[in-house]
Amino acid sequence: MEDRELKDKLPMDEPTSSEKEVLTGFKEDAMRLLQHTHHWSPSEAATIFHDACLLVLDQLTNKKIDEINKSYFLKVCKNLGANTYRRALKEKMTFASYRDEIQQEYQKTIQNNYGITLFDAAPDESRSQKALRAFSMLSEKCQKIIRAKYVDELSHKHIAQQSVHVNSENSAKTVLSRCLKYWKKLNKQLK
Amino acid sequence: MEKDTLIEKFLSQQLSSSELETFREKWANDPDFVQEVRDYTELIISVKAAEQVTKGKLSKGVGIHSTRRLYYRIAAVILLLIVTIPCYWVVTSTSSKKIARENFIDLRLQTSRDVASDDTSPLNEALRLHGQNQPLAAIDVLRKTVKNDESTPIKLFILGDLFMTTGQGDSAIYYYQKGRLLIENDPYTHWNTIMAMLLNRESGNAKVLLAQLADSDQTPYNEKARKILNEIKTPGFRLKVWLGID
């Protein structure tokens, strides 16, 4: 991805162009880190870099961080690159087969329980990749709570009992809802 | 009911019949709602699939890794033993030279203190020089005499002893053996010849002579020979000889 193209693709209203310039300046180091340390291909590394830019600028907009510095940015790239869910994407064949199987099963359950046909078309790989990319960009707390609720199928009460991040059923509900909304926002930005 | 709550309930499959009605209605009429539900469902399915990939990888990986790790550990322990055991042997065992120096009998050289100062014979001169801590000068004096006269065994033996004190085992053996051609059964010289062999790292020859001495009835040499034989037989001693460590 060309730097100019990258700058254009970053969907930012609030961050200034100088902040985008700063991030573009980190590209070389970030690409080296992702390709050499985490063994991503150039195109995958470029995607992770792009996502890291999105994430950092979003954090800047939301005042989660005061400024963008190189070490922090590289840390974000490293975390995204080392993320389990991104790793799973690398195993494309295995992931696709599991995904199809789970989708069929899910479709069947929803059809039986609610009489609704969730998906008309065949599974779309790019959509699930985007979903996972956005999921990777969530905080560990959010990833844990979404996983607990929808993968491990725990109730809010159980999540509150097991998690260190939430201490009550209501808090679990609120955090989960907030995390899903944030995922939705990220997922939209990745389009 | 809020749209988000409705979707969350749908995703966890906890919709009541009234909520299901609302859901169906939205599903039929609101394309944005449908898209949102599909997006969230996509997320859940993808995360579940990714979990499966990770779990599958882990279950395979753990087996392979633990087996590999076990092999690596065994190999590391063997390697450690291969390195540390010989090192321990070498450190704890005594060297050939040390045995020679500790067991060399220098009683004949001790007579230097009894030598009268006015006695200027070469033998006494050499002993005096040794007493003054000048072994090399003592060797020079005695060597010149021995060159002209090789028929006095005591001169040859003392010259051998002097060479032993300077650490020249091969020269000591030479003079001891010359002396033993004249007096065969001198226990001191026999013993010191063995020590000279050890000093010279000829542990094979020394071992044979020590074994003979150990079986003999020559006290206290037989007892000492047995003790040294035990030291020579240790793997550390052999390793030191093989590696040429003193």
Side-chain angles (χ1 to χ4, degrees):
Chain A
M1 197 181 294
E2 289 300 311
D3 291 350
R4 183 182 291 277
E5 194 188 340
L6 172 76
K7 274 186 246 170
D8 295 340
K9 279 202 171 189
L10 293 175
M12 297 164 268
D13 302 321
E14 298 88 345
T16 62
S17 58
S18 69
E19 280 155 354
K20 293 181 202 171
E21 290 282 348
V22 169
L23 287 178
T24 316
F26 300 154
K27 190 178 179 184
E28 201 182 313
D29 288 334
M31 292 294 279
R32 200 182 306 126
L33 173 85
L34 291 165
Q35 287 180 64
H36 298 164
T37 313
H38 298 284
H39 313 290
W40 292 96
S41 72
S43 63
E44 288 165 335
T47 312
I48 295 172
F49 170 75
H50 178 260
D51 292 356
C53 288
L54 272 183
L55 198 61
V56 167
L57 289 170
D58 188 65
Q59 287 172 343
L60 198 68
T61 312
N62 294 326
K63 311 271 182 228
K64 283 182 185 167
I65 53 171
D66 300 327
E67 56 169 14
I68 301 169
N69 66 57
K70 193 172 168 181
S71 63
Y72 178 74
F73 181 73
L74 290 181
K75 203 174 157 190
V76 172
C77 286
K78 185 188 150 193
N79 288 344
L80 281 180
N83 198 295
T84 321
Y85 297 94
R86 281 192 185 269
R87 292 262 160 229
L89 285 180
K90 272 199 139 182
E91 317 251 322
K92 281 179 185 153
M93 292 296 284
T94 328
F95 175 76
S97 64
Y98 279 129
R99 194 210 164 283
D100 291 355
E101 201 179 303
I102 294 166
Q103 182 171 319
Q104 275 174 25
E105 208 176 292
Y106 204 77
Q107 176 99 309
K108 213 171 165 182
T109 313
I110 297 294
Q111 183 76 48
N112 289 342
N113 291 351
Y114 302 137
I116 292 170
T117 308
L118 254 178
F119 299 102
D120 302 323
D124 182 352
E125 199 188 320
S126 66
R127 278 166 57 96
S128 41
Q129 288 205 4
K130 194 157 66 70
L132 274 193
R133 272 171 62 201
F135 186 73
S136 296
M137 291 161 75
L138 293 179
S139 66
E140 202 189 331
K141 173 179 142 186
C142 277
Q143 289 188 11
K144 272 187 180 167
I145 207 160
I146 292 176
R147 229 169 41 225
K149 179 69 186 162
Y150 297 115
V151 178
D152 303 332
E153 292 170 8
L154 298 179
S155 65
H156 292 116
K157 194 178 170 185
H158 276 103
I159 293 170
Q161 281 169 355
Q162 290 187 4
S163 173
V164 287
H165 303 295
V166 287
N167 47 21
S168 69
E169 200 176 334
N170 281 339
S171 150
K173 265 186 202 172
T174 317
V175 173
L176 178 68
S177 179
R178 207 182 296 148
C179 289
L180 283 173
K181 276 180 191 161
Y182 189 49
W183 173 83
K184 192 169 95 181
K185 184 186 163 191
L186 290 170
N187 194 44
K188 219 173 217 174
Q189 282 184 333
L190 290 179
K191 270 177 189 170
Chain B
M1 180 180 263
E2 251 187 63
K3 186 176 77 176
D4 289 332
T5 318
L6 198 64
I7 294 175
E8 278 177 51
K9 284 204 165 187
F10 168 78
L11 294 173
S12 39
Q13 297 175 45
Q14 287 170 341
L15 290 174
S16 64
S17 48
S18 61
E19 287 164 346
L20 182 59
E21 279 308 309
T22 319
F23 186 90
R24 278 187 178 142
E25 195 190 318
K26 280 184 178 289
W27 184 263
N29 305 314
D30 185 350
D32 287 345
F33 178 81
V34 173
Q35 192 52 50
E36 208 166 310
V37 172
R38 281 186 175 151
D39 284 346
Y40 281 127
T41 313
E42 190 69 61
L43 167 70
I44 294 168
I45 291 170
S46 301
V47 171
K48 275 187 176 175
E51 289 277 314
Q52 291 291 328
V53 173
T54 318
K55 271 184 199 164
K57 209 172 159 188
L58 278 180
S59 62
K60 272 189 217 160
V62 166
I64 293 164
H65 282 163
S66 60
T67 316
R68 265 192 203 155
R69 217 175 293 149
L70 184 67
Y71 289 144
Y72 286 144
R73 277 183 189 166
I74 292 170
V77 168
I78 291 170
L79 200 67
L80 199 68
L81 290 176
I82 288 172
V83 174
T84 50
I85 290 178
C87 285
Y88 174 76
W89 285 343
V90 167
V91 169
T92 53
S93 70
T94 184
S95 74
S96 168
K97 277 193 177 177
K98 198 177 171 196
I99 294 175
R101 285 200 186 107
E102 281 176 358
N103 293 282
F104 160 63
I105 299 171
D106 64 347
L107 281 175
R108 284 182 295 221
L109 296 175
Q110 297 295 327
T111 53
S112 61
R113 61 174 178 255
D114 304 325
V115 174
S117 58
D118 56 346
D119 189 340
T120 53
S121 71
L123 183 61
N124 285 339
E125 182 62 22
L127 287 172
R128 197 180 300 116
L129 284 167
H130 172 262
Q132 288 164 2
N133 218 4
Q134 298 177 53
L136 295 175
I139 288 171
D140 276 349
V141 170
L142 213 51
R143 218 189 217 164
K144 277 175 197 161
T145 324
V146 167
K147 220 174 190 178
N148 300 326
D149 173 22
E150 287 190 351
S151 61
T152 319
I154 188 68
K155 286 181 186 173
L156 295 164
F157 291 155
I158 287 183
L159 191 55
D161 288 349
L162 285 169
F163 274 117
M164 277 296 283
T165 59
T166 57
Q168 299 174 71
D170 46 353
S171 299
I173 293 169
Y174 174 77
Y175 286 105
Y176 283 148
Q177 280 175 348
K178 270 203 161 184
R180 287 179 72 194
L181 291 173
L182 303 169
I183 300 178
E184 201 183 332
N185 296 322
D186 177 48
Y188 275 7
T189 309
H190 182 57
W191 179 257
N192 281 351
T193 308
I194 300 171
M195 293 309 114
M197 286 173 176
L198 286 173
L199 191 68
N200 221 20
R201 288 206 207 122
E202 296 172 22
S203 56
N205 293 335
K207 207 167 146 184
V208 174
L209 294 176
L210 281 169
Q212 286 170 3
L213 204 55
D215 290 338
S216 73
D217 52 3
Q218 288 183 48
T219 44
Y221 299 104
N222 51 3
E223 191 59 40
K224 288 172 97 175
R226 269 180 230 130
K227 203 180 148 196
I228 293 174
L229 268 177
N230 285 338
E231 286 184 51
I232 285 179
K233 281 177 187 168
T234 60
F237 180 87
R238 289 180 194 173
L239 199 63
K240 270 188 172 174
V241 171
W242 184 67
L243 292 170
I245 301 170
D246 292 324

